[in-house]
């Protein structure tokens, strides 16, 4: 029996190792990228609304298309994990927060691109960190099939007084430029950002 248990454990370890090796490691160090898997049993859609959208002001809608590295072919079934600060510049949590929500806050969502590579999320515009000149931003992590999760350039706002020329004119932004321009009426403003998988991602 002891030998049987040992054999079973060995087989499990080998299977786990093989599964990990099937996911190509790219992008370099990525602290917090594990949160891309934090959605549990939730069925992901290409459209979602982040907590607080209905009750807070400064509403925004961001959409776009995710493309393969050729920049032309839409990429379906790509998971996008986005999170950001509240309108006080903090990542809000509550007593039920667990896992990565304790660090990233509950203003977050997971999306899965549709057949045409499209995604959309509704949220409120984040603020800069308290007492800082850090530009307003929305974090985003990408998880495509058979490739390890990696981060791409944050979403930045072109009308943010704290945005820097380095961000606007970045030579090789990961996944393409994250600078967006909000348009629309006073109730909800919209912006579009397309993402190119693997663009400027190390070891891709």
């Amino acid at each position: 029996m002891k030998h049987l248990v040992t054999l079973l454990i060995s087989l499990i370890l080998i299977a786990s190792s093989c599964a990990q090796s099937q996911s190509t490691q790219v992008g370099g160090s990525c602290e917090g990228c594990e949160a891309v898997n934090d959605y549990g049993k939730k069925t992901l859609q290409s459209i979602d609304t982040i907590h607080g959208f209905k009750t807070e002001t400064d509403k925004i809608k961001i959409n776009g298309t995710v493309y393969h590295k050729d920049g032309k072919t839409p990429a379906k079934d790509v998971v996008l994990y986005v999170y950001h600060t509240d309108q006080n510049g903090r990542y809000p949590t509550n007593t039920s927060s667990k896992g990565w929500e304790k660090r990233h806050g509950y203003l977050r969502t997971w999306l899965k691109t549709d057949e045409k590579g499209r995604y959309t999320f509704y949220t409120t515009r984040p603020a800069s960190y308290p007492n800082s000149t850090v530009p307003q931003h929305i974090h985003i992590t990408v998880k495509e099939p058979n490739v390890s999760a990696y981060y791409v350039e944050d979403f930045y706002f072109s009308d943010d007084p704290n945005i820097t020329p380095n961000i606007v004119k970045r030579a090789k932004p990961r996944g393409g430029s994250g600078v967006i321009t909000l348009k629309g009426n006073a109730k909800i403003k919209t912006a579009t950002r397309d993402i190119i998988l693997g663009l400027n991602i190390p070891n891709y």
Side-chain angles (χ1 to χ4, degrees):
M1 177 62 73
K2 182 178 179 180
H3 292 297
L4 180 58
V5 172
T6 301
L7 178 60
L8 288 173
I9 292 174
S10 298
L11 290 173
I12 291 171
L13 291 174
I14 291 172
S16 176
S17 177
C18 289
Q20 292 177 6
S21 65
Q22 291 175 357
S23 181
T24 304
Q25 299 298 305
V26 303
S29 177
C30 186
E31 182 181 358
C33 275
E34 303 96 312
V36 76
N37 299 312
D38 239 5
Y39 58 88
K41 296 181 180 180
K42 179 181 179 181
T43 299
L44 303 186
Q45 305 293 333
S46 62
I47 302 174
D48 201 11
T49 301
I50 292 179
H51 179 85
F53 175 78
K54 294 182 179 180
T55 57
E56 300 294 337
T57 58
D58 221 353
K59 304 176 190 294
I60 60 175
K61 170 189 174 183
I62 299 176
N63 58 22
T65 302
V66 177
Y67 293 99
H68 287 289
K69 198 174 182 182
D70 62 8
K72 299 178 181 179
T73 308
K76 68 175 183 177
D77 295 335
V78 175
V79 176
L80 306 177
Y81 169 60
V82 298
Y83 68 98
H84 60 79
T85 63
D86 61 17
Q87 294 175 325
N88 295 311
R90 303 183 185 281
Y91 297 103
T93 61
N94 52 41
T95 54
S96 64
S97 294
K98 59 184 180 180
W100 280 98
E101 187 176 300
K102 292 182 178 179
R103 293 182 60 180
H104 294 173
Y106 53 71
L107 299 182
R108 60 181 188 158
T109 190
W110 296 261
L111 307 162
K112 180 178 283 189
T113 57
D114 65 14
E115 292 287 331
K116 295 184 178 180
R118 298 172 300 191
Y119 73 92
T120 300
F121 64 94
Y122 295 83
T123 190
T124 53
R125 184 166 177 166
S128 297
Y129 298 140
N131 304 312
S132 80
T133 57
V134 174
Q136 301 162 358
H137 58 281
I138 299 175
H139 299 285
I140 175 169
T141 300
V142 171
K143 178 66 179 76
E144 53 183 295
N146 304 317
V147 177
S148 62
Y150 57 90
Y151 69 91
V152 295
E153 173 117 330
D154 292 340
F155 292 88
Y156 294 101
F157 302 89
S158 61
D159 62 348
D160 182 352
N162 290 326
I163 198 168
T164 64
N166 177 58
I167 293 174
V168 175
K169 299 180 180 180
R170 201 186 304 280
K172 294 183 177 181
R174 294 171 62 115
S177 176
V179 180
I180 58 176
T181 299
L182 293 171
K183 301 177 181 179
N185 59 39
K187 292 183 178 180
I188 179 171
K189 295 183 177 180
T190 64
T192 298
R193 177 197 179 178
D194 295 336
I195 297 169
I196 301 177
L197 298 175
L199 181 63
N200 302 318
I201 303 300
N203 303 317
Y204 193 89

